[in-house]
Amino acid sequence: MRIQDLPRGRVVAAVALAALILAPATVRAADSVSLPDDPTAKGLAIAEATDRSNQGFGDTKASMKMILENAYGETSVRELRSMTLENPNTEEGDWTLNVFDKPRDVDGTALLTYAKILDPDDQWMYLPAVKRVKRISSVNKSGPFMGSEFAFEDFSSTEVGKYSYKWLRDEACPAPVADRTCHVTERYPEYEHSGYTRQVVWTDTTDYQPRRIQYFDRKDELLKTLTFDDYRLYLDKFWRAHDLFMENVVTGKSTRLTWQEYSFGNGLTENDFSTNALKRAR
């Protein structure tokens, strides 16, 4: 399957937020962003400001460790590779491919995502044990990805048009940058079958990076919290968080993602993000 053969997502007024939830970019200085007073318009403007400066990254590659910890403090570690291709079509989101390398029981397992706006994301998994590609149903995107505290929908790029917004307040950012000020906003999924009723986002007003996201389940109760740390600047423009920690406040389980070896301009094409690429990604 080729990307151009897929149906296009619907256009919305504000398209395209901060790349992957796992890889947002930056605005140079807070005073470069003009924000309206209306809370709804202000929330949207903050999301758009984060998104604008990530445009033009082209493609990225990175390696990652996924550290799973249960409620008893027992841990297991997985290693994987991640690739992202920027989609020039602003009616849709970016394309991502994640491939597991270790341990042996998950070696070759791969997840391919074509992010959309309001239409359901297209997602496929390759399962090497049975040597077949499985399409992920749009109604199952809230399920856990590979036993982690990240859902399938968390591994899709977070496009602006997927949400409606509301600015709540400004306050001190969470540690370790408590000396900075964050915009605190709510965003509400506009796409169907989300596992969340809303998300509360802390965005650093210094560089417009997300520092924390709280996820509320379908009962509108706090389910989990994601924190971003160890930001590094690439190509004098693009910020990437190298430490993401997702904690389930209900079960006490957590998943930490640590990123290494980011590279840009790798010459990736849509052929590297096809369902056939899933099978040969190993």
Side-chain angles (χ1 to χ4, degrees), residues 66-261:
M66 175 184 285
I67 304 166
L68 310 177
E69 183 172 340
N70 64 23
Y72 303 101
E74 300 167 332
T75 61
S76 59
V77 180
R78 297 170 178 171
E79 297 182 10
L80 57 154
R81 292 165 283 136
S82 180
M83 301 190 301
T84 302
L85 182 66
E86 186 175 20
N87 190 342
N89 180 5
T90 57
E91 298 178 18
E92 299 180 356
D94 297 332
W95 311 306
T96 59
L97 176 61
N98 295 286
V99 184
F100 285 83
D101 294 321
K102 294 180 181 179
R104 182 177 299 178
D105 63 340
V106 297
D107 181 23
T109 302
L111 174 68
L112 174 65
T113 301
Y114 296 163
K116 300 296 182 65
I117 307 301
L118 297 183
D119 289 333
D121 295 335
D122 290 316
Q123 286 186 306
W124 299 265
M125 281 195 74
Y126 176 65
L127 305 171
V130 294
K131 297 182 179 180
R132 73 183 183 93
V133 175
K134 175 185 178 182
R135 189 181 182 98
I136 306 300
S137 170
S138 61
V139 299
N140 293 329
K141 299 299 176 64
S142 61
F145 173 61
M146 295 294 288
S148 75
E149 297 311 304
F150 288 86
F152 279 91
E153 66 180 296
D154 300 334
F155 272 82
S156 176
S157 61
T158 314
E159 309 300 322
V160 166
K162 285 187 170 186
Y163 303 90
S164 57
Y165 301 87
K166 181 181 180 181
W167 173 83
L168 300 178
R169 61 188 180 274
D170 288 352
E171 67 181 26
C173 293
V177 288
D179 57 328
R180 297 187 181 185
T181 299
C182 275
H183 295 306
V184 184
T185 59
E186 273 187 334
R187 63 188 187 194
Y188 314 93
E190 295 292 313
Y191 55 94
E192 291 185 328
H193 307 305
S194 174
Y196 313 119
T197 55
R198 60 190 173 102
Q199 301 168 21
V200 180
V201 184
W202 280 255
T203 302
D204 194 329
T205 61
T206 302
D207 50 24
Y208 276 75
Q209 302 310 301
R211 294 292 176 174
R212 174 192 288 164
I213 302 177
Q214 290 181 333
Y215 299 84
F216 291 79
D217 63 18
R218 289 169 178 165
K219 297 179 181 179
D220 201 30
E221 296 177 350
L222 179 61
L223 174 63
K224 57 190 183 180
T225 298
L226 175 64
T227 57
F228 300 78
D229 197 12
D230 192 15
Y231 274 100
R232 304 179 196 176
L233 185 64
Y234 291 87
L235 304 180
D236 198 34
K237 181 178 181 183
F238 304 114
W239 287 99
R240 295 294 184 264
H242 286 243
D243 188 318
L244 284 80
F245 183 70
M246 183 76 86
E247 182 178 18
N248 190 312
V249 301
V250 177
T251 64
K253 297 179 180 180
S254 65
T255 300
R256 185 181 297 277
L257 304 180
T258 60
W259 298 73
Q260 305 88 27
E261 300 173 356

